Amino acid sequence: MKTIGLLGGMSWESTALYYRLINERTRALLGGLHSAPIAMVSVDFAPLERLQVAGDWVGIGRQLSANAREVQAAGADVLLLCTNTMHKVADEIAAAVDIPMLHLADTTAQAIRANGHARPALLGTRFTMEEAFYRERLSSAGLSALIPDQSARDEVHRVIYEELCQGQVRAESRNAYQRVVADLANEGADCVIAGCTEITLLLSPDDCPLPLYDTAALHAQAAVSWALQ
């Protein structure tokens, strides 16, 4: 099995899910005491979050590209960026290393298309929902993403940064997310993309009125498949 490289810490709550999901999938496929060879660099999210607020994506791309090279130097054969939002600088990161990078939006889009869905409701940070870098990637795969209205986007974003990234899971926030999904379903959404890797800490398939696509789980599954091919 080849070594899976993880660039995480944004936030560490979801990076911990990646580690568990990759190893659970590996054990399910190989059995026994098998676990996945993983090389990981986990960054301090606080300085990067300040760069997000300042709009300094050049600085973010520069920092994460350097971190990606550390992952490669640690022996990784493939790179996963364990966050949806930071895929805004995915092209810069991919260009900084000599190993392939599995794009999170691509693995998600493949799963959605395989199940015959086409109009996903996209929930994530404000950057992921409002900017083009993620929705255009989905569009290139033939998907038409729907996003919440402004007030709902503000609440979805707030819950991610003020609660989920800090390990807080609140029933009232789950209810708020369910209302957002119900509104998008009324607009024609046929599924939901948990477009922030922390969202499934709050919203499970049983809690969601539409089929829910867990981007972290799909990314982790794709990584194991790649490492075992």
Side-chain angles (χ1 to χ4, degrees), residues 1 4 17-31 34-36 38 216-228:
M1 185 175 184
I4 297 170
L17 291 177
Y18 267 85
Y19 186 82
R20 177 174 61 79
L21 290 165
I22 287 170
N23 280 299
E24 286 178 347
R25 181 66 173 167
T26 300
R27 182 172 59 191
L29 292 175
L30 300 182
H34 283 289
S35 56
I38 293 174
L218 292 167
H219 208 196
Q221 182 177 332
V224 174
S225 296
W226 189 96
L228 287 171

Side-chain angles (χ1 to χ4, degrees), residues 176-190:
Y177 272 49
Q178 289 171 326
R179 289 192 294 272
V180 171
V181 171
D183 288 343
L184 291 171
N186 289 334
E187 294 179 22
D190 58 9

Side-chain angles (χ1 to χ4, degrees), residues 71-85:
V71 177
Q72 178 176 309
D77 297 301
V78 66
L79 177 66
L80 275 68
L81 178 60
C82 304
T83 160
N84 285 271
T85 298

Side-chain angles (χ1 to χ4, degrees), residues 54-221:
D56 187 1
W57 291 96
V58 173
I60 291 172
R62 185 183 303 116
Q63 177 63 54
L64 293 183
S65 292
N67 296 135
R69 287 190 288 270
E70 293 179 89
V71 177
Q72 178 176 309
D77 297 301
V78 66
L79 177 66
L80 275 68
L81 178 60
C82 304
T83 160
N84 285 271
T85 298
M86 295 304 196
H87 274 72
K88 181 174 170 67
V89 293
D91 290 344
E92 293 94 318
I93 294 171
V97 295
D98 299 318
I99 56 176
M101 178 176 172
L102 297 184
H103 197 290
L104 190 152
D106 292 346
T107 59
T108 300
Q110 289 165 9
I112 292 172
R113 285 175 56 86
N115 288 329
H117 296 128
R119 301 197 72 199
L122 176 60
L123 304 184
T125 67
R126 182 180 297 114
F127 311 106
T128 300
M129 291 185 289
E130 295 179 356
E131 298 189 30
F133 72 94
Y134 202 93
R135 288 182 287 116
E136 285 183 353
R137 197 87 180 195
L138 298 175
S139 179
S140 68
L143 306 178
S144 299
L146 285 72
I147 62 172
D149 62 28
Q150 182 66 63
S151 63
R153 293 198 302 273
D154 290 344
E155 180 63 6
V156 170
H157 180 91
R158 184 198 67 77
V159 168
I160 291 168
Y161 279 88
E162 295 183 13
E163 298 177 17
L164 299 181
C165 286
Q166 300 184 46
Q168 300 174 25
V169 179
R170 298 177 178 172
E172 58 268 29
S173 296
R174 180 178 296 109
N175 293 337
Y177 272 49
Q178 289 171 326
R179 289 192 294 272
V180 171
V181 171
D183 288 343
L184 291 171
N186 289 334
E187 294 179 22
D190 58 9
C191 61
V192 177
I193 295 175
C196 176
T197 48
E198 284 82 15
I199 285 178
T200 49
L201 297 171
L202 180 70
L203 200 64
S204 73
D206 293 337
D207 300 319
C208 191
L210 292 174
L212 179 66
Y213 288 89
D214 180 344
T215 56
L218 292 167
H219 208 196
Q221 182 177 332

